Amino acid sequence: MAHTVGGGRGRGARREALARYALLPLRVFLGVTFVYAGLDKLTDARFTAATGPGSVGELMRSVRDASAVPWLVDQALRDPAPYGYAIAAGEVAVGLGTLAGLLARVAAAGGALVSLSLWLTVSWRSDPYYHGNDLAYLMAWLPLVLAGAPVLSVDAALAARRRRSR
């Protein structure tokens, strides 16, 4: 084993450790944000209503003509309240799965799908585009879709257990 000048071996180990944990802050941020967003919607009776200020129905009606996918908005407008509950429950499930690292890639794909649908509907007409945050959330989910949750996660613990049992 060769040692490099200046303690390169120790530095390399630190780099590897940092690389393993690099996505953890993103995972925590997205997980907490989605749990909070979902619970915020579930505890706000106005949001899950079909009509009225602050309702998912009113939101969908307001973005329908500016949406990139008006047919998707039309689907939501058929029965806005269940759609609102589905969004909120999906956000909570995605957030919890992301925080726990349970089926992390699936949870991240769910988060990306929620963010994509919100970008194409709610924030599609943001001008300039970077004023709409849903596209940024979509991009933030993609590293977790690709990498999963390799550390401090249920997925990592199950993988380690499988390796030990072999």
Side-chain angles (χ1 to χ4, degrees):
M1 287 188 218
H3 292 278
T4 59
V5 178
R9 185 171 155 211
R11 194 173 307 144
R14 274 192 303 256
R15 281 190 189 137
E16 285 181 32
L18 288 173
R20 277 194 310 274
Y21 289 90
L23 292 178
L24 191 57
L26 183 61
R27 201 175 109 206
V28 170
F29 170 75
L30 290 171
V32 167
T33 300
F34 265 56
V35 168
Y36 180 78
L39 291 177
D40 190 42
K41 289 172 180 72
L42 288 172
T43 59
D44 183 357
R46 290 176 303 165
F47 177 78
T48 53
T51 60
S55 70
V56 67
E58 189 63 34
L59 174 64
M60 291 295 107
R61 278 186 283 286
S62 74
V63 301
R64 196 252 176 232
D65 293 333
S67 168
V69 286
W71 58 268
L72 183 60
V73 177
D74 290 339
Q75 293 298 315
L77 284 170
R78 287 184 183 178
D79 203 355
Y83 182 77
Y85 281 112
I87 290 172
E91 287 175 337
V92 170
V94 161
L96 291 175
T98 300
L99 285 171
L102 176 61
L103 299 173
R105 284 187 172 102
V106 173
L113 186 61
V114 168
S115 296
L116 175 64
S117 66
L118 291 173
W119 175 54
L120 292 174
T121 56
V122 177
S123 61
W124 180 251
R125 292 284 184 171
S126 295
D127 186 25
Y129 76 92
Y130 52 82
H131 282 181
N133 65 351
D134 297 310
L135 180 58
Y137 276 100
L138 171 59
M139 294 299 117
W141 281 112
L142 297 181
L144 297 178
V145 170
L146 296 172
V151 296
L152 299 177
S153 67
V154 174
D155 290 350
L158 292 173
R161 186 176 179 187
R162 282 191 300 271
R163 281 191 303 274
R164 282 192 305 270
S165 68
R166 286 184 193 153

